[in-house]
Amino acid sequence: MRSIIKYFGEIFGGFFSLLTGMKVTARYFFTPWKNVTQEYPENRATLKMPDRFRGEVVMPHDENNEHRCTGCGLCELACPNGSIEIITKSVISEDGKKKRAIDQHIYHLGMCTLCNLCIRACPSSAIKMDQTFEHAVWNRAELTKVLNKPGSKLMEGVKE
Amino acid sequence: MEEYKEILLTSDEIKTDDYLVNMGPQHPSTHGVLRLLVKLEGEKVLNVQPHIGYIHSGIEKMTESLSYIQIPHLTDRMDYLAAHMNNEAVSLCVEKGLQVEVPERAKYIRTIFDELQRLASHQLWWCAFGMDMGALTTFFYGLRDREDILDIFEETCGARLTLNYSVPGGVMFDIHPNFQRDVKAFIKKFRQKLPEYERLLTGNVIFQERTKGVGILSKEDAIAYGVTGPSARASGFSCDIRKKQPYSAYPYVKFKEILGTDGDTFTRYHLRILEMYESMNIIEQLIDNIPEGDYAVKMKGVTKLPEGEYYQRVETGRGEFGVYIISDGKKNPYRMKFRSPGFSNLFAINNIAKGWKIADLVAIMGTFDLVIPDIDR
Amino acid sequence: MAFNIYDFTPLTKSIHDSLSASLNPTATLAVEWLIVGVAYLLFVALFGLFLVYAERKVCAAFQQRLGPMRVGPWGLLQTIADFIKLLMKELITPKRADKFLYNLAPFIVIIATFMAISVIPFAPGLASFDFDIGVFFVTAVSSVSVIGVLLAGWSSNNKYSLIGAMRSGAQIVSYELSVGLALITMIIFAGTMQISGIIEGQRDLWFIFRGHVPAVIAFLVFVIAGTAETNRGPFDLAEAESELTAGFHTEYSGIKFAFFFLAEYINLFIVAAMATIVFLGGWMPLHFGQFEAFNGVMDLIPGLIWFFLKVFAVIFLMMWFKWTFPRLRVDHILNLEWKYLLPINLMNIILMTLVVLLGLHF
Ligand code: SF4
Ligand code: SF4
């Protein structure tokens, strides 16, 4: 007798455990407004990345086409995988002294692991992380960028 | 068939009615490029032979040419579900060598991140485990809740998976102003969602039939194979580094080290669910008490570890993760070795899967929570 | 042409009459066969595609997702796009596969489903066969598909396929029994195996209500065993994706894979349709004995719609299982059948016999 009770107990117990699970899924089925899907390309306009999001390294320029990079090369040293190459030139400043200045700040986005170490290393806060994330291009060469814009100058008052 | 005869390292002869099946390197249940050479008799598993190295990335060797500041970001890529713990282990080890005292604030932040990372890792494990068992819906529920944690990470560190947040000397940024609010909101929400996980799987009769008493790992075996983490605690082996050698802010919090007794698949499963509750407790104790102050100490330009050997272990979602540095006083380590939990855990599988069915092998593998880059490094 | 949404007999009759008027009897028969054949082909293809779409949307809703949204409005054309993709795929035959059997297997599976679908009445007057052992015919024919599955697994020369096929063989053979016994329970109640007779018997009230306890038990058993027979989750061991990659159809690609895929969904339809016919009154509207007014309102809804509503209700139930439960293990599946479903079924038959003998039903 006991075994029969156990047998039916098992059946009903099992059955109810299944129903509990079905209740959970049914609740979500009937509350479709709680869906979590983001329809990505459609929601581009409203999609906002957090302000610390690490998308790519950029060098901000102000309205006079001036940046803060002195060409010290510390970011190149800090980078663990050689994504940054600094090419410097020497310029003659107004008082006739020879000075080192940035010629090209070359950044290989394709190699960058977005680790943020270059930004920490930069003594003059010349580079920062941008929030863009759509980096797909047809040609790999487009991923190699020159961060300082052509004709840009060092901002006044940035010391090395 | 002939070609496998040589590969098979087991001494016992292949009988004509057994056969070998390659599970992986591309197989849905190995969660990555792991290859298991399984010897079967019908559905019964006779022998499991893991073949690793398909995703070996040489991280240990690469570290020898990097500076101590640069190394943590590579460890993100090993156990990508415990990126923060890996970062922290390296940072702690370097700090030990330099004898730097990290600010209290950084300690608290690190510990909160540890536990968030553990939660995220266990959530992903839960949903993938459900999928291994054939319950596909769990996968989406787990990922849905993990998303909240990743959003918190993204807000504070700017990355979701490869955080590179813990650096020698402290943490990379201060916490985001919304951090405390978001974490509290998440905990509140997840306290309601977690019982749902239990209703969906734990109590389910099909699930219990499939996991209870299956694949028992004895405590002795767990110790012998060097199994750590939840998988070993399910067998009653107390091995929680957070208790044994507390680091960061763990000395300040009260929490239980959850231990199981049976060591079967169900215990390993349920222990992780209970750990999630415990993680939430830890976060709740810390989140309101983050002390004011610096989030990192200023490090000198070039970090050079004094000559010597340093070892630091931390508890990741999968077990004990160790970092071993030999320094010859230069700015790069002379040799660096990572003790990864997945590697030891993987090799216990053969012992316990013998005699069970293929479906059980999948379930057992699921409860060991393998992350393949963690095994291959 | 007399088109009547409530009863299709005039329509079929007028087609028959107009054909016989211009052709001799043999040619008439041939043309009619052609029409019916094309109609079934179209139905299976379109309904199969629709079911795939429905399943994807339903499972998405269970999982808090949206499902396919890109191709067509609300992703309605997604499965058609998928189907075109499958048609264009290369057909690969593995090395050292048994070519003849390998190519034959998908056809066996799809033919079995076509045969089973042929006796199902969709609405009054809309069925191609109606013979006195209709229910028996469906169970007999639908079990032929297991041969196709076994052949597919064997001939692919793949170990996963073989394991999957063996599992599926063991499973289908045992669950046939439960399906059959659950149907027998209801045949005892209906007193006929003819499908039109069974539907006619539910004019006053559906069998699931008339036969109360034993009928409900039989219904549950039928749905469980039916799910198992169609190899759907949680009984999808034959194609257990996390264990056997894709089980018996691992090696199939392109249109041959599409056959298996389509057959699975049409089988789902067949099981749901049988449950509808035997338990829920087929196309019969919901009638409550003598409530004329209520019955009149219900009669306003055409039988075709009633039929598909009920079928979708049963299909939804089966999808709900599939997207909630973990998969059973092979020995548990056999345990469930032989230790639980079979004894329950046998007891249920006795109970039903008593109910019928003592007239304890409504
Ligand atoms: S983010 Fe890291 S990898 Fe990228 S350029 Fe900066 S230092 Fe190099
Ligand atoms: S970006 Fe900063 S660190 Fe790099 S060269 Fe310019 S100033 Fe120096």
Side-chain angles (χ1 to χ4, degrees):
Chain A
M1 191 62 206
R2 171 144 324 141
S3 65
I4 292 179
I5 293 175
K6 194 169 152 256
Y7 177 81
F8 281 104
E10 264 172 31
I11 293 178
F12 283 110
F15 199 68
F16 281 111
S17 78
L18 297 181
L19 285 186
T20 356
M22 286 170 79
K23 225 165 69 195
V24 174
T25 42
R27 243 204 35 233
Y28 287 115
F29 184 82
F30 291 111
T31 50
W33 55 90
K34 285 193 188 159
N35 281 356
V36 289
T37 308
Q38 291 183 14
E39 286 186 277
Y40 158 57
E42 285 89 351
N43 71 354
R44 263 209 189 110
T46 52
L47 188 69
K48 202 181 161 309
M49 300 313 278
D51 44 0
R52 286 184 189 173
F53 179 75
R54 311 207 281 252
E56 69 174 309
V57 176
V58 292
M59 185 180 287
H61 288 61
D62 68 1
E63 59 278 8
N64 306 328
N65 203 13
E66 287 176 344
H67 55 72
R68 299 174 65 86
C69 176
T70 56
C72 66
L74 284 180
C75 53
E76 187 180 12
L77 273 178
C79 181
N81 45 33
S83 304
I84 294 179
E85 284 170 59
I86 304 290
I87 300 176
T88 50
K89 59 182 176 193
S90 34
V91 286
I92 316 284
S93 59
E94 285 125 42
D95 45 356
K97 269 194 240 139
K98 257 176 127 189
K99 256 188 85 185
R100 184 187 55 183
I102 187 86
D103 182 21
Q104 280 188 315
H105 188 295
I106 300 172
Y107 168 54
H108 300 277
L109 175 55
M111 277 158 65
C112 175
T113 50
L114 304 169
C115 64
N116 208 44
L117 292 178
C118 51
I119 286 146
R120 254 165 53 107
C122 179
S124 51
S125 312
I127 44 179
K128 72 175 186 70
M129 279 290 177
D130 199 31
Q131 277 73 51
T132 52
F133 57 92
E134 289 163 334
H135 294 317
V137 287
W138 288 106
N139 184 352
R140 200 166 49 144
E142 287 168 46
L143 290 176
T144 299
K145 306 179 177 187
V146 179
L147 292 189
N148 53 331
K149 292 193 188 142
S152 59
K153 286 207 308 290
L154 180 64
M155 215 176 274
E156 282 300 312
V158 177
K159 288 197 297 286
E160 259 189 53
Chain B
M1 203 82 244
E2 295 309 315
E3 56 215 84
Y4 289 132
K5 266 196 181 151
E6 303 159 14
I7 299 172
L8 196 78
L9 299 171
T10 44
S11 53
D12 39 341
E13 287 264 302
I14 303 176
K15 287 194 226 82
T16 42
D17 47 353
D18 305 338
Y19 56 105
L20 292 169
V21 170
N22 265 313
M23 264 178 134
Q26 280 94 19
H27 189 278
S29 71
T30 52
H31 301 301
V33 277
L34 169 69
R35 174 169 152 227
L36 298 179
L37 192 55
V38 187
K39 193 157 99 168
L40 294 172
E41 181 194 328
E43 290 249 345
K44 206 167 100 189
V45 175
L46 296 183
N47 193 18
V48 184
Q49 203 179 8
H51 287 246
I52 59 169
Y54 285 86
I55 195 167
H56 191 275
S57 44
I59 288 180
E60 281 176 9
K61 190 73 191 164
M62 276 157 86
T63 55
E64 289 171 22
S65 57
L66 294 179
S67 75
Y68 292 105
I69 306 290
Q70 291 170 337
I71 288 168
H73 101 287
L74 267 186
T75 59
D76 284 344
R77 278 125 187 112
M78 289 164 29
D79 185 351
Y80 47 80
L81 296 181
H84 179 75
M85 286 104 147
N86 295 354
N87 292 167
E88 187 182 5
V90 178
S91 312
L92 286 170
C93 198
V94 173
E95 283 152 14
K96 203 187 241 175
L98 293 174
Q99 294 180 334
V100 205
E101 186 59 28
V102 182
E104 287 290 291
R105 186 175 176 81
K107 285 186 184 172
Y108 272 69
I109 297 173
R110 277 179 181 180
T111 311
I112 294 171
F113 263 75
D114 273 343
E115 292 308 314
L116 283 175
Q117 182 86 74
R118 192 183 318 282
L119 276 172
S121 160
H122 281 359
Q123 280 165 346
L124 188 70
W125 160 81
W126 179 80
C127 62
F129 182 57
M131 203 170 62
D132 286 345
M133 306 288 285
L136 290 142
T137 302
T138 60
F139 192 70
F140 295 92
Y141 292 174
L143 284 187
R144 171 197 68 196
D145 299 331
R146 179 166 174 263
E147 197 66 16
D148 295 337
I149 296 186
L150 297 192
D151 283 343
I152 293 172
F153 284 170
E154 197 176 15
E155 200 166 48
T156 288
C157 356
R160 299 165 74 80
L161 208 58
T162 51
L163 305 176
N164 192 23
Y165 187 54
S166 180
V167 289
V171 290
M172 175 96 73
F173 311 103
D174 201 358
I175 51 174
H176 195 272
N178 294 341
F179 178 73
Q180 277 152 310
R181 190 198 68 195
D182 288 349
V183 169
K184 275 187 260 181
F186 162 74
I187 299 269
K188 192 158 163 254
K189 194 167 147 202
F190 193 54
R191 278 211 188 273
Q192 285 159 8
K193 297 282 185 215
L194 196 48
E196 212 164 70
Y197 288 20
E198 302 230 35
R199 283 206 289 278
L200 214 49
L201 278 188
T202 316
N204 191 304
V205 63
I206 302 174
F207 181 79
Q208 294 204 341
E209 281 283 315
R210 277 200 56 184
T211 49
K212 281 211 168 137
V214 171
I216 294 171
L217 174 71
S218 66
K219 186 176 173 184
E220 290 69 38
D221 277 350
I223 296 171
Y225 279 99
V227 178
T228 47
S231 314
R233 290 199 282 278
S235 310
F237 171 32
S238 155
C239 58
D240 197 333
I241 310 296
R242 295 175 292 172
K243 279 270 184 220
K244 303 267 170 233
Q245 289 185 354
Y247 51 93
S248 293
Y250 285 113
Y252 314 138
V253 289
K254 277 206 210 58
F255 67 101
K256 280 206 301 287
E257 176 183 7
I258 296 160
L259 288 178
T261 45
D262 299 347
D264 60 352
T265 307
F266 184 79
T267 322
R268 283 195 291 274
Y269 160 84
H270 203 226
L271 194 124
R272 285 193 172 88
I273 297 268
L274 297 177
E275 269 197 2
M276 286 202 241
Y277 285 109
E278 237 10 83
S279 289
M280 286 195 281
N281 287 343
I282 296 176
I283 297 175
E284 273 177 345
Q285 288 175 43
L286 294 174
I287 191 72
D288 280 325
N289 306 323
I290 303 178
E292 294 297 321
D294 286 339
Y295 57 89
V297 288
K298 196 96 190 96
M299 300 290 271
K300 280 195 259 56
V302 183
T303 319
K304 283 186 182 152
L305 243 59
E307 219 175 301
E309 300 178 10
Y310 309 95
Y311 187 67
Q312 171 68 40
R313 21 187 214 166
V314 298
E315 180 80 16
T316 74
R318 266 149 292 284
E320 173 187 331
F321 176 79
V323 175
Y324 178 55
I325 301 179
I326 302 181
S327 168
D328 53 0
K330 301 219 183 68
K331 70 182 189 10
N332 310 327
Y334 172 75
R335 172 81 170 93
M336 196 150 176
K337 159 96 184 121
F338 298 114
R339 188 262 182 222
S340 74
F343 185 78
S344 326
N345 293 1
L346 170 67
F347 288 92
I349 287 179
N350 183 21
N351 194 27
I352 60 178
K354 269 184 197 156
W356 293 100
K357 305 257 184 309
I358 312 177
D360 297 322
L361 173 63
V362 171
I364 290 168
M365 220 156 53
T367 47
F368 274 89
D369 194 9
L370 302 173
V371 169
I372 312 304
D374 175 44
I375 297 169
D376 280 352
R377 299 191 297 296
Chain C
M1 255 197 223
F3 183 74
N4 178 356
I5 188 83
Y6 293 99
D7 190 353
F8 287 83
T9 330
L11 178 72
T12 44
K13 200 168 163 336
S14 72
I15 293 176
H16 179 75
D17 288 345
S18 54
L19 280 174
S20 342
S22 51
L23 296 166
N24 65 21
T26 329
T28 313
L29 199 61
V31 172
E32 279 174 2
W33 277 0
L34 206 67
I35 295 176
V36 172
V38 171
Y40 273 120
L41 265 181
L42 273 182
F43 172 76
V44 166
L46 292 180
F47 195 72
L49 288 182
F50 175 72
L51 271 184
V52 175
Y53 172 77
E55 163 120 62
R56 288 174 71 174
K57 277 291 186 194
V58 168
C59 92
F62 278 130
Q63 299 165 347
Q64 292 196 286
R65 296 184 290 127
L66 291 174
M69 287 296 276
R70 290 279 143 84
V71 191
W74 287 88
L76 269 169
L77 303 178
Q78 179 68 52
T79 43
I80 297 181
D82 288 348
F83 191 69
I84 294 171
K85 181 200 78 179
L86 278 180
L87 281 180
M88 293 196 301
K89 284 229 164 169
E90 186 190 355
L91 290 174
I92 298 165
T93 311
K95 213 170 156 189
R96 291 201 289 185
D98 188 330
K99 292 229 169 44
F100 176 67
L101 294 182
Y102 178 79
N103 292 324
L104 182 66
F107 292 100
I108 293 183
V109 172
I110 198 97
I111 288 172
T113 52
F114 266 106
M115 279 161 77
I117 213 172
S118 64
V119 290
I120 289 169
F122 296 93
L126 203 64
S128 49
F129 288 104
D130 182 25
F131 47 121
D132 46 6
I133 50 161
V135 174
F136 180 68
F137 178 78
V138 174
T139 47
V141 160
S142 62
S143 59
V144 170
S145 67
V146 68
I147 296 175
V149 170
L150 279 174
L151 284 185
W154 164 253
S155 63
S156 305
N157 190 26
N158 178 322
K159 290 163 194 164
Y160 287 127
S161 303
L162 189 60
I163 301 173
M166 290 304 154
R167 283 179 174 187
S168 140
Q171 178 185 338
I172 295 186
V173 167
S174 20
Y175 278 83
E176 277 291 276
L177 216 60
S178 279
V179 170
L181 286 177
L183 288 176
I184 285 176
T185 319
M186 296 318 287
I187 290 167
I188 293 172
F189 189 67
T192 172
M193 278 209 247
Q194 190 166 21
I195 286 183
S196 61
I198 290 176
I199 295 178
E200 214 36 57
Q202 312 187 50
R203 185 164 284 284
D204 289 340
L205 193 59
W206 299 345
F207 278 168
I208 194 163
F209 300 125
R210 282 185 64 193
H212 52 89
V213 179
V216 171
I217 295 177
F219 178 72
L220 288 177
V221 170
F222 182 81
V223 171
I224 294 171
T227 318
E229 229 197 294
T230 50
N231 273 335
R232 281 176 59 81
F235 304 97
D236 56 347
L237 294 138
E239 45 209 83
E241 155 231 13
S242 59
E243 296 150 29
L244 305 178
T245 56
F248 65 89
H249 57 59
T250 308
E251 294 289 359
Y252 283 88
S253 63
I255 187 71
K256 288 187 210 151
F257 167 74
F259 275 179
F260 282 116
F261 201 57
L262 210 58
E264 185 191 325
Y265 281 91
I266 296 301
N267 278 331
L268 172 68
F269 167 74
I270 292 169
V271 169
M274 283 313 285
T276 309
I277 289 166
V278 177
F279 297 94
L280 305 174
W283 44 261
M284 193 62 83
L286 180 61
H287 287 166
F288 276 114
Q290 308 311 325
F291 299 110
E292 290 303 335
F294 178 77
N295 294 351
V297 173
M298 288 293 152
D299 279 338
L300 285 179
I301 303 172
L304 194 64
I305 293 184
W306 271 111
F307 178 75
F308 277 103
L309 272 184
K310 290 181 226 174
V311 166
F312 280 126
V314 178
I315 288 179
F316 176 74
L317 188 66
M318 287 164 73
M319 285 181 180
W320 192 3
F321 290 165
K322 168 160 183 175
W323 297 107
T324 306
F325 300 147
R327 185 183 303 118
L328 279 83
R329 204 171 70 193
V330 63
D331 49 335
H332 295 154
I333 277 209
L334 299 182
N335 263 351
L336 174 69
E337 165 65 20
W338 298 100
K339 272 199 190 155
Y340 296 96
L341 290 187
L342 192 64
I344 290 175
N345 236 326
L346 292 172
M347 282 188 275
N348 200 28
I349 289 187
I350 298 172
L351 189 63
M352 186 54 111
T353 321
L354 287 178
V355 166
V356 173
L357 282 180
L358 304 177
L360 290 175
H361 54 82
F362 297 113

